[in-house]
Amino acid sequence: GEPDTGPFLAENGEPLNERGRYRDGVRVADTVLLHPHTDIAHRYWRSILRGGDLAIDATCGNGHDTLELVSILSRAGGGRVVACDIQESAIESSKAKLLRELEGLMERVRDSGGQWLLSPTEPGPRLAGFKGDVAVDWRLGGHEEMLEGCERLGARVVVFNLGYLPGSDKTVFTSAQGTMRAIPAALEAVGVYGCVSVTCYAGHEEGKREQEAVLDLARGLAVQDWSSYVLEWANARNKRTGTHAPLLVLLQRLRETPVTPVA
């Protein structure tokens, strides 16, 4: 088969937004297949993030979204990422993923407590499009407390990946109560045309409650101030549990008006 070129470079040396995809053992172009919610979310973040922006990964987990935000911002000219999780194991897993995946592309030039500065290395990053430094601020704790302390309208993107950390203790997961504190705070944190991106997993009872609470909030936002989109892979189910595929909610701010959900 063809070599795995990684998430950043295609065989011809051009930047590659996603890994090559296969269908029934045959490699297909990105435009042939509909994409899962992660790709759709990543493409949307890429479309709105600019150099100098702040992006917040409110549930960094194993670091997949943190890595994507860092790479987008570096290609855009640089910026800042805040990566938060309630579990120390998640923070450490995310740190390891960044160091592993960015090897040869970006290097950690400063590690000051919970703050990193990542800088493009030479000469490879020019080929990959990496051109700006990215500061990464690691935060251990609940996302609701972290977001409630954020500057209003200061962020461009806030990302939530709800549920539990894959491969870890399944008794530790986000809750409807905590998430319903965190998302309103995230809505106040994003600036005009910024976005709160929420991936919901309804594979357990608390996940179902959490998803319904997120959907109720999305439907209740004033249409003159927010665009609320819900994307669902409608005919896909988990083969083991029978639960529906994850659901992606995108909430984009249109005006500076404070959040006022409608009944």
Side-chain angles (χ1 to χ4, degrees), residues 157-177:
V157 171
V158 181
V159 176
F160 293 86
N161 204 328
L162 303 178
Y164 53 77
L165 177 65
S168 71
D169 184 355
K170 291 182 173 56
T171 65
V172 180
F173 45 78
T174 56
S175 68
Q177 181 178 10

Side-chain angles (χ1 to χ4, degrees), residues 183 187 194-196 217-218 221 226-228 249-253:
I183 292 181
L187 293 173
C195 178
V196 177
L217 184 150
L221 290 172
W226 296 89
S227 286
S228 299
V249 180
L250 298 173
L251 309 171
Q252 185 180 41
R253 177 183 283 279

Side-chain angles (χ1 to χ4, degrees), residues 37-38 41 45 59 65 159-164 174-176 179-180 183 196-219 229-233 236 243-251:
H37 65 282
T38 48
W45 307 343
T59 52
D65 291 339
V159 176
F160 293 86
N161 204 328
L162 303 178
Y164 53 77
T174 56
S175 68
T179 297
M180 285 303 100
I183 292 181
V196 177
S197 174
V198 187
T199 300
C200 302
Y201 297 85
H204 54 91
E205 288 305 313
E206 185 60 22
K208 292 176 184 177
R209 287 190 289 270
E210 195 171 35
Q211 178 170 293
E212 284 305 310
V214 171
L215 290 175
D216 286 346
L217 184 150
R219 295 178 183 123
Y229 283 82
V230 178
L231 295 92
E232 180 182 13
W233 194 350
T243 56
H244 286 286
L247 183 147
L248 175 65
V249 180
L250 298 173
L251 309 171

Side-chain angles (χ1 to χ4, degrees), residues 60-200:
C60 67
N62 284 321
H64 301 289
D65 291 339
T66 307
L67 172 65
E68 185 68 20
L69 293 169
V70 168
S71 65
I72 292 171
L73 283 173
S74 182
R75 288 174 174 149
R80 180 179 171 224
V81 173
V82 175
C84 175
D85 205 282
I86 199 168
Q87 297 184 77
E88 187 171 4
S89 60
I91 298 288
E92 294 306 315
S93 178
S94 297
K95 289 179 177 180
K97 184 172 184 66
L98 261 63
L99 293 177
R100 182 173 65 252
E101 297 287 345
L102 294 174
E103 185 177 3
L105 297 168
M106 301 187 78
E107 60 183 345
R108 182 175 50 178
V109 297
R110 187 175 72 232
D111 182 355
S112 176
Q115 295 183 320
W116 285 8
L117 180 63
L118 299 173
S119 184
T121 56
E122 297 292 346
R126 288 181 178 172
L127 191 62
F130 287 75
K131 58 185 179 182
D133 293 349
V134 178
V136 183
D137 187 354
W138 301 101
R139 303 281 185 90
L140 177 63
H143 51 206
E144 54 269 37
E145 289 86 2
M146 181 272 292
L147 286 163
E148 286 171 350
C150 286
E151 176 187 357
R152 186 171 187 272
L153 307 178
R156 187 69 166 178
V157 171
V158 181
V159 176
F160 293 86
N161 204 328
L162 303 178
Y164 53 77
L165 177 65
S168 71
D169 184 355
K170 291 182 173 56
T171 65
V172 180
F173 45 78
T174 56
S175 68
Q177 181 178 10
T179 297
M180 285 303 100
R181 276 182 59 193
I183 292 181
L187 293 173
E188 291 292 359
V190 294
V192 175
Y193 304 129
C195 178
V196 177
S197 174
V198 187
T199 300
C200 302

